[in-house]
Amino acid sequence: MTGSPAVTLYPLGGLGEIGLNCMALVSGDSMIVVDCGLMFPDDSLFGIDVVIPRFDFILQNRDKLKGIVLTHGHEDHIGALPWLMRSCDAPLYASSFTLALAGKKLEEHGLKEFTTCLPVSAGDTVTLGDFKVTFFPVCHSIVHGFALGIETPAGRIVHTGDFKIDRNPLDGHATDLDAIKRFAGDGAMLLLSDSTNAEREGFALTEREIKAALGDIFATCSGRIVVTLFSSHIQRMQEIYDLAHATGRKVAVSGKSLFTNIEIARELKHLRVPPGTEASLEELASLPDEQVVLLVTGSQGEPLSALSRLAYGEHRQVKIQKGDTVILSSRFIPGNIRAITRLINRLYKLGAEVLYERVQAIHASGHAHADELRLMLKTVSPKFFIPIHGEYRHLVKHARIAVSCGVAPERALVIEDGQPVTFAEGLIRLEDAIPVEHIYVDGKGVGDVGVTVLKERQLLAGEGLVIVVLVVDEKSGELTFGPNILSKGFVFEQHYSHVLEDAKCIVLDIYENVPPGQSDLLKERIRSALRRFFRKILERDPVVVPLVITL
Amino acid sequence: MTGSPAVTLYPLGGLGEIGLNCMALVSGDSMIVVDCGLMFPDDSLFGIDVVIPRFDFILQNRDKLKGIVLTHGHEDHIGALPWLMRSCDAPLYASSFTLALAGKKLEEHGLKEFTTCLPVSAGDTVTLGDFKVTFFPVCHSIVHGFALGIETPAGRIVHTGDFKIDRNPLDGHATDLDAIKRFAGDGAMLLLSDSTNAEREGFALTEREIKAALGDIFATCSGRIVVTLFSSHIQRMQEIYDLAHATGRKVAVSGKSLFTNIEIARELKHLRVPPGTEASLEELASLPDEQVVLLVTGSQGEPLSALSRLAYGEHRQVKIQKGDTVILSSRFIPGNIRAITRLINRLYKLGAEVLYERVQAIHASGHAHADELRLMLKTVSPKFFIPIHGEYRHLVKHARIAVSCGVAPERALVIEDGQPVTFAEGLIRLEDAIPVEHIYVDGKGVGDVGVTVLKERQLLAGEGLVIVVLVVDEKSGELTFGPNILSKGFVFEQHYSHVLEDAKCIVLDIYENVPPGQSDLLKERIRSALRRFFRKILERDPVVVPLVITL
């Protein structure tokens, strides 16, 4: 295939996990990057703030980089930008709303002034070296997201971004299948499509249905209404404002990320607050209950969020009372379920009624279900198909859907991060793997907290730590200080002073039986004897740190 | 109400959480305890093995204790027994199967020989002081569970245990509503009923439906079948054995807890293995794929379980291959979702097909849904109602269901652990609260790991630990050793030697500016300066332990 027009796709994240979405496309001397997302760490990643992709491939080819295209403004698509843009100065192409969110992020890292942000609108086409990228509006749980039509020397590629197909959309909330169909013509060369909900049959609920369900609640509630939702879900906020307006209520907002996003969305005219629908937190107190809506952060049970402060009675301006209705118009992300249900229980104890997805249809996923994926496949009618944005199981199932829609089985490719694929003259070739990785960010450290440090944190978390200090006189070999024992996260010392006393005796005993000068042997003996002792006496296995100082 | 026949109910666990089920009933000089369950810790309880109720109330009244009644053999109903039976010698009443599981547990703690276990059968009535307890079979996700009919001087109480109502039960798997109705007569004084699924409408799926779904899979699979399930779900195992028999397959078992429970169930004739359906793991290799069923532990993604070993290619006798079908016939417990989905992804990569509740109806909850709760309420027609076994939100919703079924609102009581209620002459009285608590068990320590130690573990887990050692000469005030710095779980030291060197300089500087002899001040200054320094340089906040030794 050498010499003929070719394009190679380099998946750097998002093919094999939910989040971390990032992909490079290379043709000749041109490279573009689509999305630059992060992933939030699971509980086993102690102390890690966020996970980002390994950018080596992009950086090694940075001279070819013509631009970074962002499909939409969610963290799993823009969140890793600050770590890429430190070492890279390509322009960003995205909707003005996505760029506003990305800009906030770059600003926090002091990178904004060095970044060129080029807003694009629906239908725009930009030329980036060998690539021509057209932006198609898609419906998703954030406004102003795009699917991409990418013309390459080897054929046309459709990249869906994250999408659903709202069959009966509220204003400005549709996926432009017609435009995508026009771009694909009699069939695109390749479709890259969102697999998040490939396991869910049928169609996702639509925002119109959600608005109707919320409308029923607004219509029947006589008390105050508190709503929490994802802070980037501008469309849902619009529904809340509209319903408040229709039922004679005013909306107050509590929580920083909501304030920020509402401000951006209003500025860009994605959110229209009906006149007379706004109130400050202070004004709420003077309004009758039936005129109050409070929009708050904290849908995932975050400890310091407004909802959490309400549930624990720690909100400065508002106290939850009998008659209040709290609506969680959001998904329970699995790792957060206990935190969220804890809040729900607290709110019930305070006398509130609490409504959530489990008991009422008040949230809709932003990702296409299987029937919507089929529609996209029929629309694009691709020769090749690669499922993206999903764990391995989602990719497998999406590939099956593609085959059921007429893609030849050998052309529905389940590949993972790091597996490049070249397309040329209607053929494909799997290239040698490139290094990809989940890079852990802890504070300012990027990638330095690896397996060793995490393992130590895990051990410390499990059973705590015991420090043993001895000072030995170098000449005489006499003990001049200690053994002293102190612990952190091990036992409540007052309860277990006898155990710690016994531990000292064990250390003394070892000290007397190790020849002077062999402090490594002494440390090793202390460590293993104490671990044995604690396991036997307490069935616990703390990290034991012996400090032997020879003076 | 003094002097008149009365009974007081003391909830010690399970009213306000899922798990930890334990309740005492007292009438005059008689006390009985119903269930003695544990709760598994969530991820925030670092290093905690299990959570148990506080037993002070029972122990303070142990002279009144006539017996401990166990409704069924799940951990959340029997798992805390070893910690109660250490200090208590009342007989245990339960089905032979429940007692066999409880006995295993007591044996592990060396308590079995001191415990009197009195097996009861469906329909039996035992007299325990002022109480007469009758045992009614109920359908649940474990065999041989009971609801209780408790005759007290103040009236009849029905305690459902955990139950569902299987309208179309497989053999021996029905809830005996007729017997409960006969016991309740024209209406019991009080119903205590399982609230776990109070938020779910309709009826739970039945085992007949699950068996049919599994049957479809068995009928169409031509490869090997691997099934994982809860190890105590004997009924489900029976279905697997029967389906294997019907489709010409043999069943091999891998995983200790399955072996143990199968052995007990077979001995007690709760599990009947059809002749010729058994195979050892070794024999599997010589069977054609279409004749193989492998029953394995690990439905929650437990790291060392058989399923986990299969998924990671570490199972000694069996390797997963293309064509295998793995069935997770079990619920995904929220805290375990990531571990389970990780296994599913691994299994797909090995070429297996994987089926689970999300994509196929192959698991049924063992707890009554709302319509079944209504049936129970209609059957018992109680004067008073107290929802049990649930978080606060479940209790609230179950109470509403009771009211919708005709219980007077003021007689549907949502109470929590520690709130005793007295029933006498058709009236109720809320007594003063008794102390209840979630007691944390870590190894052999019971209750010693409290908030302080957990907080330390949390801090250590988050950012690790830095130890600073100095030895100071008492007379001269000179530094004779150090400052030395070592860390655990903080940074990869090789990467950050310059940071640790700078930290040493900071410590030296502080040492020089603190007057000799003030070692507490010195420590405090070191701690706060290093925390400030690490926050600034690395945005991390490790636990800093300064050790200043004066010699």
Side-chain angles (χ1 to χ4, degrees):
Chain A
M1 298 194 286
T2 329
S4 59
V7 60
T8 306
L9 182 157
Y10 296 87
L12 302 177
L15 279 69
E17 61 269 300
I18 299 279
L20 213 71
N21 300 297
C22 186
M23 170 182 291
L25 292 165
V26 177
S27 174
D29 284 334
S30 305
M31 175 167 76
I32 60 171
V33 168
V34 178
D35 286 336
C36 185
L38 58 71
M39 192 163 74
F40 291 104
D42 68 34
D43 292 329
S44 68
L45 299 180
F46 293 116
I48 300 303
D49 302 322
V50 299
V51 181
I52 61 172
R54 181 164 166 179
F55 292 124
D56 296 25
F57 178 81
I58 300 176
L59 299 180
Q60 282 154 13
N61 294 280
R62 97 187 84 183
D63 52 317
K64 298 184 180 177
L65 184 58
K66 307 299 178 198
I68 298 167
V69 179
L70 306 171
T71 59
H72 63 282
H74 278 152
E75 290 284 358
D76 54 338
H77 293 258
I78 68 167
L81 273 177
W83 289 273
L84 177 61
M85 299 316 285
R86 280 177 194 186
S87 329
C88 188
D89 64 354
L92 303 183
Y93 295 87
S95 72
S96 49
F97 183 67
T98 303
L99 287 176
L101 296 180
K104 275 269 167 204
K105 207 159 275 298
L106 293 168
E107 203 175 340
E108 283 162 20
H109 287 77
L111 294 163
K112 191 164 176 213
E113 49 183 319
F114 309 107
T115 311
T116 310
C117 290
L118 300 170
V120 293
S121 299
D124 283 359
T125 299
V126 296
T127 300
L128 301 170
D130 287 354
F131 298 97
K132 276 175 71 179
V133 182
T134 306
F135 297 85
F136 306 115
V138 288
C139 171
H140 184 45
S141 42
I142 189 166
V143 290
H144 239 199
F146 291 132
L148 309 174
I150 309 172
E151 282 183 70
T152 78
R156 293 185 164 213
I157 299 175
V158 173
H159 183 301
T160 64
D162 280 350
F163 81 104
K164 67 196 271 195
I165 294 168
D166 198 323
R167 291 162 299 166
N168 189 10
L170 291 167
D171 200 24
H173 200 59
T175 293
D176 193 349
L177 289 179
D178 292 339
I180 293 173
K181 191 166 185 56
R182 277 195 302 278
F183 174 82
D186 345 319
M189 190 267 289
L190 169 66
L191 172 62
L192 302 161
S193 181
D194 175 12
S195 311
T196 312
N197 275 341
E199 290 186 339
R200 296 196 181 190
E201 280 308 319
F203 280 79
L205 285 175
T206 65
E207 281 305 314
R208 197 177 289 274
E209 290 165 302
I210 300 307
K211 188 177 178 187
L214 292 171
D216 289 345
I217 300 167
F218 273 67
T220 51
C221 266
S222 57
R224 301 187 300 181
I225 294 177
V226 179
V227 184
T228 183
L229 37 61
F230 289 112
S231 300
S232 59
H233 206 322
I234 306 299
Q235 174 65 38
R236 192 72 52 80
M237 288 176 209
Q238 183 67 58
E239 295 159 30
I240 302 293
Y241 275 102
D242 290 346
L243 290 169
H245 186 63
T247 54
R249 291 175 181 263
K250 283 179 197 287
V251 180
V253 176
S254 180
K256 184 163 164 284
S257 62
L258 274 175
F259 269 120
T260 309
N261 289 355
I262 287 176
E263 197 188 334
I264 294 174
R266 289 181 76 168
E267 220 171 277
L268 295 172
K269 309 257 186 282
H270 296 313
L271 182 70
R272 288 166 304 276
V273 175
T277 320
E278 280 177 277
S280 68
L281 284 171
E282 288 68 26
E283 285 164 341
L284 279 198
S286 61
L287 288 175
D289 290 349
E290 69 273 17
Q291 291 177 21
V292 171
V293 175
L294 181 58
L295 201 56
V296 298
T297 51
S299 71
Q300 297 307 310
E302 299 90 334
L304 300 174
S305 63
L307 186 64
S308 190
R309 283 180 280 130
L310 284 171
Y312 285 89
E314 289 162 2
H315 196 285
R316 267 193 301 151
Q317 291 96 341
V318 184
K319 299 275 166 247
I320 291 293
Q321 64 198 32
K322 204 168 152 53
D324 289 348
T325 299
V326 180
I327 302 173
L328 283 73
S329 186
S330 51
R331 189 168 91 92
F332 290 14
I333 293 175
N336 304 330
I337 291 178
R338 295 214 201 210
I340 300 169
T341 52
R342 206 171 287 141
L343 288 197
I344 293 173
N345 288 321
R346 302 276 319 184
L347 291 164
Y348 268 113
K349 281 185 209 177
L350 295 173
E353 176 60 48
V354 191
L355 304 174
Y356 38 103
E357 200 187 3
R358 173 74 179 265
V359 294
Q360 210 133 352
I362 49 176
H363 178 61
S365 171
H367 299 275
H369 285 206
D371 280 346
E372 294 163 271
L373 297 176
R374 289 187 187 102
L375 258 174
M376 183 57 83
L377 277 152
K378 298 283 186 197
T379 302
V380 177
S381 184
K383 184 165 180 183
F384 293 99
F385 175 74
I386 296 179
I388 60 173
H389 306 172
E391 298 173 19
Y392 196 82
R393 60 192 171 126
H394 302 120
L395 305 181
V396 167
K397 281 165 189 176
H398 199 179
R400 288 185 195 162
I401 292 173
V403 171
S404 79
C405 289
V407 176
E410 67 280 12
R411 288 178 179 166
L413 305 176
V414 175
I415 58 169
E416 286 183 278
D417 299 340
Q419 175 57 66
V421 192
T422 298
F423 298 82
E425 298 186 330
L427 298 171
I428 53 167
R429 182 178 60 218
L430 295 184
E431 306 290 348
D432 291 342
I434 57 167
V436 288
E437 200 182 337
H438 289 188
I439 304 277
Y440 302 145
V441 178
D442 176 5
K444 288 192 184 168
V446 179
D448 68 302
V449 173
V451 178
T452 319
V453 173
L454 280 175
K455 183 75 197 163
E456 283 180 356
R457 287 184 185 173
Q458 191 191 338
L459 291 172
L460 292 168
E463 305 285 350
L465 168 104
V466 173
I467 304 171
V468 183
V469 198
L470 301 175
V471 182
V472 180
D473 185 87
E474 192 177 7
K475 287 180 215 134
S476 66
E478 294 288 305
L479 206 58
T480 53
F481 175 86
N484 259 27
I485 292 188
L486 79 164
S487 76
K488 288 276 169 192
F490 172 49
V491 292
F492 188 54
E493 295 193 357
Q494 272 117 310
H495 267 212
Y496 279 105
S497 49
H498 56 292
V499 173
L500 299 177
E501 282 307 314
D502 289 351
K504 275 189 202 172
C505 297
I506 290 172
V507 174
L508 266 181
D509 212 46
I510 292 169
Y511 161 74
E512 276 159 18
N513 286 292
V514 170
Q518 304 218 26
S519 92
D520 282 346
L521 179 66
L522 179 60
K523 284 195 226 171
E524 195 35 53
R525 290 250 173 105
I526 290 172
R527 187 181 293 126
S528 62
L530 286 191
R531 288 185 61 185
R532 230 174 11 248
F533 171 69
F534 292 132
R535 273 202 294 259
K536 188 169 150 224
I537 296 292
L538 297 170
E539 286 180 2
R540 290 183 202 172
D541 196 6
V543 176
V544 175
V545 180
L547 296 174
V548 177
I549 301 164
T550 309
L551 286 181
Chain B
M1 300 194 284
T2 327
S4 58
V7 61
T8 307
L9 181 156
Y10 296 87
L12 303 176
L15 279 71
E17 61 267 301
I18 300 279
L20 213 74
N21 300 297
C22 186
M23 169 181 291
L25 293 164
V26 177
S27 174
D29 285 334
S30 305
M31 174 167 77
I32 61 171
V33 169
V34 178
D35 287 336
C36 186
L38 58 71
M39 191 162 74
F40 291 104
D42 67 35
D43 292 330
S44 68
L45 298 179
F46 293 115
I48 300 303
D49 302 320
V50 299
V51 181
I52 61 173
R54 179 163 169 179
F55 292 125
D56 297 24
F57 178 80
I58 300 176
L59 299 179
Q60 281 154 13
N61 294 279
R62 93 187 87 184
D63 52 316
K64 296 183 181 177
L65 183 57
K66 306 301 178 198
I68 298 166
V69 179
L70 306 171
T71 59
H72 63 283
H74 277 152
E75 290 285 357
D76 55 336
H77 292 259
I78 67 167
L81 273 176
W83 290 274
L84 177 60
M85 299 316 284
R86 279 177 193 185
S87 331
C88 189
D89 63 355
L92 305 182
Y93 295 86
S95 72
S96 48
F97 183 68
T98 304
L99 288 177
L101 295 180
K104 275 269 166 204
K105 207 161 275 299
L106 293 169
E107 204 175 338
E108 284 161 19
H109 287 77
L111 293 163
K112 191 165 177 212
E113 49 182 320
F114 309 108
T115 311
T116 309
C117 290
L118 299 170
V120 294
S121 299
D124 283 359
T125 299
V126 296
T127 302
L128 301 170
D130 286 357
F131 298 97
K132 276 174 72 177
V133 181
T134 305
F135 298 85
F136 306 116
V138 288
C139 172
H140 185 44
S141 42
I142 189 168
V143 291
H144 238 196
F146 291 133
L148 308 174
I150 309 172
E151 282 184 68
T152 79
R156 292 183 166 215
I157 299 175
V158 173
H159 184 300
T160 64
D162 280 350
F163 81 105
K164 69 197 270 195
I165 294 169
D166 197 324
R167 293 162 296 166
N168 191 10
L170 291 167
D171 198 25
H173 201 62
T175 292
D176 193 349
L177 289 178
D178 291 340
I180 293 172
K181 189 162 187 63
R182 279 195 301 277
F183 174 83
D186 342 319
M189 189 266 290
L190 170 66
L191 171 62
L192 303 160
S193 182
D194 174 13
S195 309
T196 311
N197 275 341
E199 289 186 340
R200 297 195 183 189
E201 279 308 318
F203 281 79
L205 284 176
T206 65
E207 281 304 314
R208 197 176 289 275
E209 290 166 301
I210 300 308
K211 188 178 177 186
L214 292 172
D216 289 344
I217 299 167
F218 273 66
T220 51
C221 267
S222 56
R224 301 186 301 179
I225 294 177
V226 179
V227 184
T228 184
L229 34 62
F230 289 112
S231 300
S232 60
H233 206 321
I234 306 298
Q235 174 66 37
R236 192 71 51 81
M237 288 176 212
Q238 183 69 59
E239 295 160 28
I240 302 295
Y241 275 102
D242 290 347
L243 290 169
H245 186 62
T247 54
R249 291 176 182 261
K250 283 178 196 291
V251 180
V253 175
S254 180
K256 185 163 164 283
S257 63
L258 274 175
F259 270 119
T260 308
N261 288 355
I262 287 177
E263 195 188 335
I264 294 173
R266 289 181 75 169
E267 217 170 281
L268 295 171
K269 311 256 185 286
H270 294 315
L271 180 68
R272 287 165 305 278
V273 175
T277 319
E278 279 178 277
S280 68
L281 284 171
E282 288 69 24
E283 285 163 341
L284 278 198
S286 61
L287 287 175
D289 289 351
E290 70 272 19
Q291 291 179 20
V292 171
V293 175
L294 180 60
L295 200 58
V296 299
T297 51
S299 71
Q300 297 308 309
E302 298 90 336
L304 300 174
S305 64
L307 186 64
S308 189
R309 283 180 282 133
L310 283 171
Y312 284 89
E314 290 164 1
H315 197 285
R316 266 194 300 151
Q317 292 94 345
V318 185
K319 300 276 166 245
I320 290 292
Q321 63 198 33
K322 203 167 154 56
D324 289 347
T325 299
V326 180
I327 302 173
L328 282 74
S329 184
S330 52
R331 189 169 91 90
F332 290 13
I333 294 175
N336 304 330
I337 290 178
R338 293 213 201 211
I340 300 170
T341 52
R342 208 171 286 142
L343 288 197
I344 292 174
N345 289 321
R346 301 277 318 184
L347 290 165
Y348 267 113
K349 282 185 207 176
L350 295 174
E353 176 60 51
V354 191
L355 304 174
Y356 38 102
E357 199 186 4
R358 173 75 179 266
V359 292
Q360 209 133 353
I362 50 175
H363 179 64
S365 171
H367 299 275
H369 286 205
D371 280 346
E372 294 163 89
L373 297 175
R374 290 187 186 101
L375 257 174
M376 182 58 84
L377 278 151
K378 298 284 185 194
T379 302
V380 177
S381 183
K383 185 166 181 182
F384 293 99
F385 175 75
I386 296 179
I388 60 173
H389 306 173
E391 298 174 19
Y392 196 82
R393 61 191 169 126
H394 303 122
L395 305 180
V396 167
K397 282 164 190 179
H398 200 178
R400 287 183 194 164
I401 291 173
V403 171
S404 79
C405 289
V407 176
E410 67 280 11
R411 289 180 180 164
L413 305 177
V414 175
I415 58 169
E416 286 184 278
D417 299 339
Q419 175 56 65
V421 192
T422 297
F423 298 83
E425 296 184 331
L427 298 171
I428 55 166
R429 183 177 59 219
L430 296 183
E431 307 289 348
D432 291 343
I434 57 166
V436 287
E437 201 182 338
H438 288 187
I439 304 277
Y440 302 143
V441 177
D442 176 5
K444 288 192 184 167
V446 179
D448 68 301
V449 173
V451 179
T452 320
V453 173
L454 280 175
K455 183 77 196 161
E456 283 179 356
R457 288 184 185 173
Q458 191 191 337
L459 291 173
L460 291 169
E463 305 286 350
L465 168 105
V466 173
I467 305 171
V468 183
V469 198
L470 302 174
V471 182
V472 180
D473 185 87
E474 192 176 9
K475 288 179 215 130
S476 66
E478 295 287 306
L479 204 57
T480 53
F481 175 88
N484 259 27
I485 293 189
L486 78 167
S487 76
K488 288 277 167 193
F490 172 49
V491 290
F492 188 55
E493 296 194 356
Q494 272 117 309
H495 267 209
Y496 280 106
S497 50
H498 58 290
V499 174
L500 299 177
E501 282 306 314
D502 288 352
K504 274 189 201 173
C505 297
I506 292 173
V507 173
L508 265 180
D509 211 49
I510 293 169
Y511 161 75
E512 276 159 17
N513 287 293
V514 170
Q518 303 217 27
S519 91
D520 282 345
L521 179 65
L522 180 59
K523 284 196 229 174
E524 195 34 54
R525 292 250 172 106
I526 290 172
R527 186 181 294 124
S528 61
L530 285 191
R531 288 186 61 185
R532 228 174 13 248
F533 172 67
F534 292 132
R535 272 201 296 259
K536 188 168 151 225
I537 296 293
L538 297 171
E539 287 182 3
R540 291 186 200 169
D541 196 4
V543 176
V544 175
V545 180
L547 295 174
V548 177
I549 301 164
T550 310
L551 285 181

